[in-house]
Structures are given as structure tokens and as C-alpha cells.
RNA sequence: GGAGGCGUGGUGUAGUCGGCCUAACACGCAUGCCUGUCACGCAUGAGAUCACGGGUUCGAAUCCCGUCGCCUCCGCCA
């Protein structure tokens, strides 16, 4: 006799009078003395088993406790009139057992899986296997599986090859902090876990693989967030002999495919926006298009006023809050919100039946207020917030106010608002290091028409880099790569790298490029983030089976941990200032 | 590195402006009763060094200092 002939959710009226076997965990026991009900849960759902004292299995069934593992053979019967349960798929029937096997007993669990949602996250991670018994959490992993299946078939059909690249690689400068792995055979030397398979996939293009993809684990030793784990999964893609349009078109097709396959959602074409427009219209390089209309640039008007604060600021940006009449207290909160973000202040303006009210009446006459109102296209009942300053602060602050307003006032639209952001800057100035750094990475192709600026005005140079944004979250980032060595040289010298440094850090790649590098480009998607958004989850922990805490620990395995001195000795490593116990 | 929130039986919380706390409630657990429940019901019971360390006080879950842990955000994450 097998452990199981049917899944819980498949126990339906069509099986009435048949003898079947189900297996799973005891979710709940309801003991009525003369009648006992047991809900058995498997990964599909619940099914009710019922027995009365005349049933030879009554005593066994009555003895089970939550989370016992059972296999139950019995007859499917219709539930009595009015006794159905609409909340479960098998709710119109139940099983009368003729064999109840307790396969495994369970201690009283620290929490019941179905109540785990309200349990402290630390507890949930420590007993992750109990947490994962929740049907709702399991559904996230089913979704993840459907997405992966869809992805692989898409790539396979499009002629992409799944190629694995090393997890033990070389530490490269730039980018995130590396996780290091000491080498035993080469004492004092270290591998680095890859932040991305970037170099390898470019080498595969030089190798003539043409179309590569990989579902790759990558590692970044930076501080964590709800949407950031130290190790996560990328859908890594690289293609040769393609231009930007072709990459964008294919990758957009891929996203549409997985939404269709995994969620039955038909996505419309993704709108495009340049980085500059994104910053000026939404104050962010990842605009959330659900949060209402764009910011309004009132700089030209602001420069005409006598009021120095506005006149001298490079930019004055407005956030339009439609049909919003904030209280005095709320206005103070908004002012504080803007200040916390680094704005020197916040001007507000509301348009009412009897005219405009404004926090800066002292400095802005009513005629000017009318002008602003007209330019911002205010209607009666609207509120406008104005932020002034020098680029890019006012846009960023206004963008944050726009988002926070939509959140606080429940104005966030629903739906999947995808967006391509293009023409990212090639370089950015690092205040910390006091030098120019690559915004994406040093192999990113500058835009043809901006190449002459590389030496004279590097931060004005735009690149062939692009992001996919969904509902204000960055899902993917990619670029065309440089394949001509003279362009690469220009970039390196703009970054202030000496020939020695270049050879030391990127020599192997540059050498490869001397043997015939095809034009190529690619992109990498954050798979976990995609699944998180598709599942409607608030944290990556909901779509990763064994995630880390915000401090990078795993409470289940208790990783990281100390290791034996002999292990360290083998590696030639001495630990400084080790915590005595832990 | 910085800011905020949280830490009280197995779980979730109340108590936190010092004494009414011999720490309350719900769920869970145990025992008993109950033949149509599905968050079953009823009764009885067990179960807490109030995160840890130090201090103030006649008296600390409660006030002060420090430490640890979890969560969120900023920095950081090409």
C-alpha cells in the first residue's frame, strides 16, 4: 500500500465511495468525544478525516496531535447537508478512515505553521521548516518554480545556452564588497565569491558562445534590507552581435513571457524613459509610475521672483497632491519630512474656493502664487509642495514626497508598471574616494555622440546602460559593453587608472579582447525581487527558502560560526580580536 | 557607520509616568466531559530568572547606564 494516492486538494465529490489514501501533517484535531475530526494538510491544502467510536480507527485518530505525520486510507463520503466548508478545496467531502498510520510523531511545535505570519521573524527563521509548511509560503515557491521553468524554456527557444561560471573567482576592484574565501593551497591568497558573473560572461562572448544565460547565485557583502540579501539569484544574460534595441526587445519579451506563464498576466509594452527624464520628472532613477503624476519643474518661474530662496536656487520642483487638504499638523510633518531628506525647507500652497493659501505669502505675492498655480495646473482642492535647491536634491526630495504622499494617502494605483530607464551616466563622482568611478562598471559602452566629452566633461557622458524598473523597484540592470580597446583605454584614463593598475586588475579581460571581441551586451535580473513582486510579498525572505537576517546570520544553522584553530592554521589565518564566545 | 521601533510563560500581546504584580489576557499544551465540527464548545490544571549585565531606590517588568538580538530606514549595494 502506498503512502498516498491523492493530494488533499484533489479529494473531490467525484471520488465519493472510493477508497483513497492521503498523507501529510495533522493541522488540527477537533475532539467531540463521540466524534473526532482531523484536518490533514499536504502541500496542496487540507482534507477532513472523521471517525466515531464504532470506527476501529477511532482511538488512533483521536490520539494524533498537531504536526504528526500520518497516512490515512479511507472512504470518501459526502458531508451532511450544510456541513461543507467553502474555504477549502475538499470542503464538500470528508474521509472515513479504515486505516490510520502514524508515520511520525511531533513534539508540540514552538508555533503552528498557520499562525507563523504573526510570529517573530527570528523564531520563524530558527524553525524555518515549520514556517515553510504554511501553504501560503509554499505557493511562493511554486510561483518561483513556474517562473524558472518559463525562463528556461524562453531562453532555450531563443538559442541561449545555460553555462555555469565559477563561484570561486578573483576579487575585482569596483562595486560591492567581496566575500572572500581563503585558499589553502596558496596560503595568504583568497578567492572572491562573484558579485556577478560579469567578466566570465564577457569571456564567453569572446569565446563565440553568442547567447549565454545563467540562473546564477551571486554574493555581495553589504548591509541588508528587506529587498537585499547577501546572496541572491540573478538571471544573467549576455549576447553578441546585437544592438541595444535587440537586447531590450528580447528581455521585454522574456518578462512578458514569465508573467503570462506564471501569472496569466498580459503585460503591455514597457514605456521608456531616459535617466535624465526619470530624475527630473520623478526624482528617482527608478520611478514608481503607480504613485500619481510626475513632478512639475517650476524653476523658470521661480527665477523671476524677488524671493532669494527661490530665485537663487537652480531648481524649484513641485509635487502635485490632488484633492488633498492637509491639516496644520500634517503640513508640519511634511516640512519635517523634507528637512529630514536634506531640504532646507518646504513651501506649500493649497488652492481653495476662496483663493490660494500659501506658506510663503510673506515673500510671494498673490499674483505670483496664481502664476505658480497655473503652471502647475492646480485645481480647487489641490495642494502643491515646492522644494528648492541645487541639482539633484530638490528632485530627489520632491520625488520622495510624491511617493510618501501616495503611500500615506492610499493613492498608490494597482497594477504592474514596468519601465525601461536608459542613458544612465557613464561616471559618477565618489565623494568618499574623491575620484571618478564607473556608474555601472568600467566596461560599459559610452554613447557614441558623447565620446568626445570623456576627457573634458566626464560626468556629462551618457552610457549605453539600461535598467528595468517595476513599481519603483529596480529589477534588472545591463549595458552594451566596450569591445574596442581604444575606447576602453579612454575610459580607464578618465577613471585615473595607471597602466600597471589596469594590467593588474583587468589584464586578463583586456588580453582576451585582443583576440577578436565581438560587439556584445547583456543584462542581469534579480530573480528573487521579480518573484517577490509577483507574489505580492513584502520581503525577499518570503521567496527565499533559507534567508539570512538583517545582520547576515542564519539562525537555523547558526552561520556564520567560528571554526577550529586547526582549520585556521591550515589556511595560514590568524584571527584578530575574535569574540571569545560565538 | 548612523537613526528609529521592538524584546514579558511555547506563541502573540497587556502592564512600562516605581508600590494596587503573589505579573494579566488570548492562543497553544495536559486532563476530563461532549456525535457534525472546521478558530468546535465547556471545566480543571501546568507553564515566566519580565533579553542580559550593572546602577538608583525601603521597593524595579516599570527609572538610569551599558551589552546583545530581531525588524525598518539612511549611508553602502558598479
Amino acid at each position: 500500500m502506498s503512502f498516498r494516492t491523492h493530494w488533499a486538494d484533489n479529494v473531490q465529490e467525484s471520488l465519493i465511495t472510493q477508497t483513497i489514501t492521503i498523507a501529510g501533517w495533522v493541522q488540527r484535531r477537533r475532539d467531540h468525544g463521540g466524534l473526532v475530526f482531523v484536518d490533514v494538510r499536504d502541500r496542496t491544502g487540507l482534507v477532513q478525516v472523521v471517525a466515531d467510536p464504532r470506527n476501529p480507527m477511532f482511538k488512533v485518530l483521536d490520539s494524533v496531535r498537531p504536526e504528526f505525520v500520518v497516512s490515512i486510507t479511507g472512504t470518501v463520503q459526502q458531508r451532511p447537508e450544510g456541513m461543507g466548508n467553502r474555504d477549502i478545496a475538499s470542503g464538500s467531502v470528508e474521509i472515513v478512515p479504515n486505516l490510520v498510520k502514524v508515520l511520525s510523531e511531533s513534539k508540540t511545535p514552538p508555533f503552528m505553521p498557520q499562525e507563523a505570519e504573526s510570529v517573530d521573524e527570528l523564531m520563524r527563521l530558527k524553525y524555518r521548516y515549520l514556517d515553510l509548511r504554511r501553504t501560503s509560503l509554499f505557493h511562493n515557491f511554486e510561483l518561483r518554480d513556474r517562473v524558472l521553468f518559463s525562463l528556461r524554456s524562453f531562453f532555450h527557444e531563443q538559442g541561449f545556452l545555460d553555462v555555469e561560471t565559477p563561484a570561486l573567482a578573483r576579487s575585482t576592484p569596483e562595486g560591492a564588497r567581496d566575500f572572500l574565501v581563503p585558499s589553502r593551497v596558496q596560503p595568504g591568497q583568497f578567492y572572491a565569491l562573484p558579485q556577478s558573473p560579469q567578466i566570465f560572461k564577457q569571456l564567453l562572448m569572446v569565446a563565440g558562445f553568442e547567447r549565454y544565460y545563467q540562473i546564477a547565485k551571486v554574493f555581495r557583502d553589504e548591509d541588508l534590507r528587506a529587498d537585499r540579501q547577501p546572496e541572491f539569484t540573478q538571471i544573467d544574460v549576455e549576447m553578441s552581435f546585437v544592438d541595444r534595441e535587440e537586447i531590450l526587445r528580447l528581455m521585454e519579451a522574456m518578462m512578458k513571457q514569465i508573467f503570462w506563464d506564471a501569472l496569466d498576466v498580459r503585460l503591455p509594452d514597457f514605456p521608456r524613459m531616459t535617466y535624465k527624464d526619470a530624475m527630473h520628472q520623478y526624482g528617482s532613477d527608478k520611478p514608481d509610475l503607480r504613485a500619481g503624476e510626475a513632478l512639475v519643474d517650476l524653476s523658470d518661474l521661480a527665477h523671476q521672483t524677488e524671493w532669494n530662496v527661490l530665485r537663487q536656487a537652480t531648481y524649484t520642483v513641485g509635487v502635485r497632491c490632488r484633492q488633498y487638504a492637509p491639516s496644520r499638523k500634517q503640513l508640519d510633518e511634511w516640512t519635517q519630512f523634507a528637512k529630514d531628506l536634506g531640504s532646507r525647507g518646504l513651501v506649500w500652497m493649497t488652492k481653495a474656493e476662496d483663493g490660494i493659501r500659501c506658506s510663503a505669502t510673506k515673500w510671494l505675492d498673490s499674483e505670483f502664487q496664481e502664476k505658480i498655480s497655473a503652471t502647475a495646473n492646480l485645481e480647487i482642492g489641490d495642494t502643491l509642495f515646492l522644494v528648492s535647491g541645487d541639482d539633484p536634491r530638490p528632485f530627489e526630495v520632491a520625488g520622495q514626497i510624491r511617493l510618501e504622499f501616495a503611500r500615506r494617502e492610499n493613492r498608490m494605483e494597482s497594477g504592474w508598471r514596468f519601465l525601461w530607464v536608459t542613458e544612465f551616466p557613464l561616471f559618477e563622482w565618489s565623494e568618499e574616494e574623491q575620484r571618478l568611478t564607473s556608474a555601472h562598471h568600467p566596461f560599459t559602452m559610452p554613447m557614441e555622440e558623447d565620446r568626445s566629452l570623456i576627457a573634458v566633461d566626464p560626468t556629462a557622458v551618457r552610457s549605453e546602460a539600461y535598467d528595468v524598473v517595476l513599481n519603483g523597484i529596480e529589477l534588472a540592470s545591463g549595458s552594451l559593453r566596450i569591445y574596442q580597446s581604444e575606447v576602453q583605454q579612454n575610459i580607464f584614463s578618465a577613471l585615473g587608472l595607471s597602466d600597471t593598475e589596469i594590467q593588474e586588475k583587468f589584464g586578463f579581460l583586456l588580453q582576451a579582447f585582443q583576440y577578436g571581441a565581438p560587439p556584445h551586451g547583456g543584462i542581469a535580473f534579480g530573480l528573487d525581487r521579480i518573484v517577490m513582486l509577483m507574489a505580492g510579498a513584502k520581503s525577499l525572505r518570503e521567496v527565499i527558502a533559507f534567508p539570512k537576517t538583517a545582520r547576515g546570520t542564519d539562525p537555523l544553522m547558526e552561520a556564520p560560526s567560528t571554526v577550529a584553530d586547526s582549520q585556521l592554521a591550515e589556511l595560514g589565518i590568524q584571527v584578530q580580536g575574535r569574540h571569545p564566545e560565538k
Side-chain angles (χ1 to χ4, degrees):
Chain A
M1 199 63 192
S2 66
F3 287 120
R4 168 189 288 134
T5 61
H6 290 76
W7 293 102
D9 271 7
N10 293 335
V11 180
Q12 299 285 337
E13 295 190 6
S14 58
L15 295 175
I16 286 169
T17 72
Q18 288 190 39
T19 298
I20 65 165
T21 304
I22 54 152
W25 284 259
V26 173
Q27 167 108 342
R28 194 167 245 121
R29 183 183 64 114
R30 290 177 297 281
D31 179 1
H32 287 237
L35 196 62
V36 62
F37 299 94
V38 169
D39 294 336
V40 176
R41 179 191 67 238
D42 64 26
R43 70 182 214 186
T44 66
L46 294 174
V47 65
Q48 174 171 284
V49 180
V50 61
D52 66 22
R54 289 170 310 196
N55 188 316
M57 287 294 126
F58 177 80
K59 277 219 164 91
V60 189
L61 192 68
D62 196 42
S63 73
V64 301
R65 290 295 179 271
E67 303 309 316
F68 277 28
V69 181
V70 294
S71 175
I72 293 175
T73 302
T75 312
V76 180
Q77 73 174 22
Q78 181 93 45
R79 293 198 192 183
E81 189 66 28
M83 298 300 163
N85 182 351
R86 284 163 199 275
D87 295 335
I88 63 176
S90 66
S92 62
V93 296
E94 61 195 357
I95 294 176
V96 179
N98 47 47
L99 182 62
V100 175
K101 277 195 275 193
V102 175
L103 302 173
S104 189
E105 301 196 347
S106 170
K107 288 169 55 172
T108 300
F111 56 87
M112 297 300 169
Q114 66 270 22
E115 68 172 14
E117 213 148 348
S118 62
V119 172
D120 185 71
E121 290 237 26
L122 181 62
M123 188 62 59
R124 288 172 47 188
L125 290 181
K126 195 167 174 182
Y127 297 92
R128 185 63 166 171
Y129 41 88
L130 296 179
D131 192 21
L132 290 169
R133 282 183 191 169
R134 282 151 61 203
T135 316
S136 63
L137 205 43
F138 179 73
H139 286 324
N140 290 351
F141 290 90
E142 282 186 308
L143 173 67
R144 191 176 173 125
D145 178 68
R146 287 201 302 276
V147 169
L148 275 168
F149 187 75
S150 169
L151 278 169
R152 290 197 185 281
S153 59
F154 176 88
F155 283 119
H156 181 75
E157 275 160 30
Q158 296 290 337
F160 286 81
L161 256 61
D162 178 354
V163 181
E164 292 187 75
T165 55
L168 295 177
R170 181 195 166 90
S171 179
T172 53
E174 318 271 328
R177 194 177 294 113
D178 284 319
F179 279 102
L180 297 176
V181 179
S183 162
R184 175 182 57 83
V185 185
Q186 311 288 340
Q189 297 192 28
F190 295 82
Y191 302 99
L193 302 181
Q195 300 171 27
S196 87
Q198 185 62 37
I199 306 279
F200 292 113
K201 67 177 176 178
Q202 290 192 246
L203 291 174
L204 287 172
M205 294 304 104
V206 178
F209 276 40
E210 304 254 356
R211 291 188 166 201
Y212 144 94
Y213 86 102
Q214 184 182 190
I215 310 298
K217 257 297 180 64
V218 299
F219 307 85
R220 293 176 187 177
D221 188 6
E222 296 292 346
D223 288 348
L224 308 181
R225 292 281 190 285
D227 63 351
R228 275 173 15 199
Q229 282 276 308
E231 55 178 307
F232 60 102
T233 305
Q234 281 190 345
I235 308 162
D236 195 45
V237 182
E238 196 78 6
M239 308 164 71
S240 294
F241 303 110
V242 288
D243 58 13
R244 189 180 71 187
E245 282 313 304
E246 192 160 357
I247 296 176
L248 265 51
R249 186 185 59 75
L250 251 177
M251 292 301 98
E252 188 170 323
M254 181 205 83
M255 287 305 303
K256 287 175 178 171
Q257 184 72 45
I258 63 176
F259 267 72
W260 176 246
D261 288 341
L263 286 184
D264 286 339
V265 168
R266 270 284 179 234
L267 293 178
D269 290 343
F270 300 0
R272 304 267 186 99
M273 195 179 290
T274 64
Y275 170 83
K276 191 180 172 195
D277 284 347
M279 292 306 294
H280 284 202
Q281 292 173 24
Y282 296 94
S284 166
D285 62 355
K286 40 180 192 287
D288 192 335
L289 299 180
R290 300 171 306 164
E293 64 194 305
L295 308 173
V296 54
D297 187 344
L298 299 163
S299 310
D300 291 345
L301 203 52
H303 293 149
Q304 296 165 23
T305 162
E306 299 294 306
W307 188 26
N308 276 341
V309 172
L310 291 198
R311 187 162 51 84
Q312 291 175 354
T314 319
Y315 289 106
T316 294
V317 186
V319 186
R320 290 172 284 201
C321 302
R322 299 297 185 187
Q323 297 307 301
Y324 178 56
S327 65
R328 183 74 240 176
K329 179 164 169 264
Q330 284 171 316
L331 288 169
D332 290 344
E333 283 169 3
W334 283 118
T335 304
Q336 192 55 47
F337 183 80
K339 283 181 177 170
D340 288 346
L341 290 167
S343 175
R344 290 178 56 197
L346 184 70
V347 175
W348 55 263
M349 186 180 280
T350 61
K351 183 164 176 166
E353 296 278 1
D354 53 353
I356 292 173
R357 272 175 302 151
C358 177
S359 61
T361 308
K362 232 185 276 181
W363 302 283
L364 301 174
D365 59 42
S366 57
E367 188 190 347
F368 192 77
Q369 291 176 21
E370 284 295 347
K371 272 191 191 168
I372 290 179
S373 167
T375 309
N377 201 14
L378 287 197
E379 287 165 16
I380 289 171
D382 294 347
T383 293
L384 178 75
F385 290 113
L386 292 171
V387 190
S388 289
D390 298 326
D391 202 29
R393 183 66 71 193
F395 292 105
E396 289 172 354
V397 174
Q400 287 296 324
I401 292 173
R402 171 179 173 270
L403 283 178
E404 187 62 20
F405 171 71
R407 284 193 282 256
R408 283 192 196 175
E409 296 299 315
N410 250 324
R411 304 286 182 91
M412 205 65 98
E413 293 162 28
S414 61
W416 308 104
R417 303 297 297 275
F418 276 89
L419 175 70
W420 283 106
V421 179
T422 60
E423 299 181 19
F424 276 82
L426 188 66
F427 301 109
E428 55 194 26
W429 179 255
S430 167
E431 283 296 331
E432 194 184 331
E433 299 175 57
Q434 285 294 304
R435 67 178 188 97
L436 216 54
T437 58
S438 290
H440 189 55
H441 58 60
F443 315 112
T444 306
M445 178 94 82
M447 283 178 69
E448 183 80 42
E449 54 266 53
D450 288 357
R451 275 187 201 174
S452 54
L453 296 172
I454 292 173
V456 285
D457 187 8
T459 54
V461 178
R462 294 165 299 165
S463 72
E464 295 284 1
Y466 34 80
D467 276 7
V468 178
V469 175
L470 169 56
N471 294 350
I473 292 184
E474 180 194 315
L475 285 192
S477 197
S479 65
L480 295 182
R481 328 295 185 192
I482 298 167
Y483 63 98
Q484 309 106 312
S485 56
E486 70 275 15
V487 180
Q488 188 69 67
Q489 282 302 331
N490 290 343
I491 302 296
F492 282 146
S493 51
L495 288 170
L497 293 174
S498 71
D499 286 349
T500 327
E501 283 175 299
I502 294 166
Q503 279 314 313
E504 191 187 330
K505 291 172 173 173
F506 307 109
F508 54 98
L509 184 68
L510 297 180
Q511 190 184 16
F513 277 15
Q514 287 167 13
Y515 293 95
H520 62 288
I523 192 166
F525 289 80
L527 174 70
D528 314 274
R529 282 188 185 174
I530 293 175
V531 178
M532 174 178 88
L533 290 173
M534 289 175 88
K538 287 204 163 52
S539 162
L540 286 183
R541 288 186 291 268
E542 305 294 307
V543 297
I544 294 175
F546 299 101
K548 304 276 192 289
T549 66
R551 293 279 312 278
T553 65
D554 173 356
L556 198 162
M557 292 198 86
E558 296 187 321
S561 66
T562 55
V563 296
D565 287 341
S566 58
Q567 285 177 288
L568 290 176
E570 248 180 349
L571 297 166
I573 288 180
Q574 260 190 341
V575 178
Q576 284 184 346
R578 172 154 52 157
H579 198 284
E581 189 48 50
K582 285 206 98 166

